[in-house]
Amino acid sequence: MAMSDVLPSALAGADQYVSAYRWMLLARRMEEKISSLYHAGKIVGGVYLGRGQEAFSAALGVSLRRRKDVFSPLIRDMAGRLAFGEPLLDPARTYLGSVLGPMRGRDGNIHRGRPAEGMPAMISHLGSMVSVVCGMLVARRFRGDVEAVGAACIGDGATSTGSFHEAVNLAAVEKLPLVIAVANNQFAYSTPTDRQFACADLVDRAIGYGIDGHRVDGTDLAECLEVFGRAVARARAGQGPQLVVGRLLRLTGHGAHDDANYVPEALKQTELGRDCLERARQHLLDHGLATVAELEQWDREAVHEVQLAVATAQKDPVPEAAGEDWRALSSF
Amino acid sequence: MALTYLEAIREALTRALRDDPTVFIYGQDVATFGGAFKATKNLSRDFPGRVLDAPISEDAMLGMAIGAAIEGMRPIVEMQFADFSSIAFNQIVNQAATHFWRTGVTCPLVVRLPSGGTPGSGPFHSQMMESIYAHYPGLVVLTPATVGDAYSMLLEAVALDDPVIFCEHKFLYYHLKDEALPEESLPIGKARIARMGRHATVVTYSAMVHESLRAAADLAAEGYEIEVIDLRSVKPIDSDTVLASVARTGRLLCVGESFPWGGVCAEVIARVVADGFNLLDAPPQRLNAKDTPIPYHPNLWAAHRPTAATIAESLRRLLRF
Ligand SMILES: Cc1ncc(C[n+]2csc(CCOP(=O)(O)OP(=O)(O)O)c2C)c(N)n1
């Protein structure tokens, strides 16, 4: 099944807000399910969750055109992936090792993608995907497609890699329509930002690269939509790379295995620790964009969709070693 | 019209750009300047917009090429020196090499590595990287030794849907000449018998083919006929041609310019021992560079890598066994 084209991508205003909220909700429910499957021993390999980062991720996803643009997710971008058009069956199948998933059991969990549809399949090595998005944009430029925008998601920790620096500089030199979305969730695994970098704000690095920088409250969906909308529009208009840095907090362990006891309680009580999903829900009610009944209905629908996807994937065939060709080359 | 190994590479690049609009060249100083070794001289003039200067960012250069390749382009990346591809190692072995296997989407790119030693180049401008890259599934690794192969294998590399590590030998760039470019050639994956013989087999590739041929000529004067096999491509590797030769000669020496620990020579010997133990009249031998970084001074450098003289010496020992 290809990534769905059901929803038009460039929704405006309230529609876009509602759309993003529903992707956030679906991602949250899906990840809760994946997490419980993990703790029940039903998942092989690691589980990394985007709890607390859904607004930042989904806002980027809905700001892009499905299939036409490039969206390169990282480990906390379930919401952005779904918003960009990844079918819910993809994570279900990949986490459960189904042979029918996009990775066919050859790779797992977050390392899934549909590169032919504008969503590269991340490798683990942090920082490595940014330059790949650059290449996908260069290819589009060669083809005469000057409309396409590419977005690369990344965490605060991965901004310390040489790979990240090389890629952002390259994008700046080539003036590529690249949006670099840095989710500064204050920790890289257990390492706080003051052991990661010494600049006052990561967004200041944009000056050094000669590109635009934007900072945003990553717990506020409306602000995320506005900032990503602007960044994507500027990239599309030929203004070159856009560095967007979101302030937020990872509301979960690094992985499902991690209790994150190193995150100070006081930090969780700050503005950074607000749950973006709760905030968005309140926003919908406050602005009359949804009733309590509607919110409950959407939630039920999300839960149902998740159950359906997981149930389907659980019935799928798993890969059989005898059926593998064990070939890594296409030519030989 | 005599043509050098380097000119053959330039001819192949020209033809690739001319015949396939999805081909582009990316590397440091490759555009107006024409590359550190002038492999891309005039190409940016003749193919505007398709020969792009890269920042000094090997990791990002490869990442960019990978992104373009999975979108259907056929990038050719020039590393200024093979040695610097270590910076791009992650992108090559983890991203390019795994992509088709993981996703089913091919990643057709060529990384040109100006490889191997020249006197005075020292530890960081002399390395042979074929053994390292051949270790990883998902890469094709080519080591042309002749002008004709430099041309035809580069064209074939560009046409392949897999990522190709193209190890050009810098020592051959200007010295090695041929009269004309080949009309046809052996396919990638087939070794070539560079010299026929019956007393011992030398399996080698790249610049060491020429050292081995000189050694074989010396041994001929002593009454020994040495067969020299040029692997051409170290991955895929043509074990059949090697085994058939060892079946005729009973003796095997593998010669490589890369470091001695593991690598292509070890691989060839392992295969021959496993699949042709009964063919051997003597323990198979290998001769590589020494197990130190590559020395700068020509006197040391000449003693660090295998030469016709040390190859001949190894052969004499092998023949005496
Ligand atoms: C090059 C590299 N080094 C180390 C790791 C191991 N690792 C995986 S996730 C992670 C932390 C990443 O932190 P950050 O970039 O801030 O993203 P976050 O997990 O906070 O979303 C580390 C160290 C890796 N995947 N890649």
Side-chain angles (χ1 to χ4, degrees), chain A residues 179-257:
Chain A
V179 175
I180 306 130
V182 181
N184 180 359
N185 62 14
Q186 315 304 320
F187 288 90
Y189 205 156
S190 74
T191 305
T193 48
D194 64 359
R195 297 300 302 164
Q196 200 67 244
F197 48 82
C199 53
D201 190 325
L202 281 176
V203 81
D204 296 339
R205 291 195 185 169
I207 301 165
Y209 290 116
I211 63 176
D212 290 343
H214 313 257
R215 57 167 69 81
V216 60
D217 176 353
T219 70
D220 182 337
L221 177 59
E223 207 185 301
C224 289
L225 284 167
E226 201 230 303
V227 169
F228 276 126
R230 185 155 19 103
V232 169
R234 285 186 62 78
R236 213 183 295 289
Q239 301 298 313
Q242 310 286 315
L243 178 69
V244 180
V245 180
R247 301 181 302 281
L248 37 80
L249 189 66
R250 198 185 68 203
L251 300 183
T252 170
H254 172 61
H257 59 276

Side-chain angles (χ1 to χ4, degrees), chain B residues 116-139:
Chain B
T118 49
S121 298
F124 312 115
H125 293 75
S126 304
Q127 292 170 30
M128 297 286 293
M129 308 286 280
E130 73 287 347
S131 291
I132 298 283
Y133 292 117
H135 185 70
Y136 278 85
L139 298 172

Side-chain angles (χ1 to χ4, degrees), chain A residues 53 75-76 124-126 155-158 185 187-189 250 254:
Chain A
Q53 305 192 188
I75 66 177
R76 309 200 192 278
S124 294
H125 302 62
L126 293 169
D156 45 277
N185 62 14
F187 288 90
Y189 205 156
R250 198 185 68 203
H254 172 61

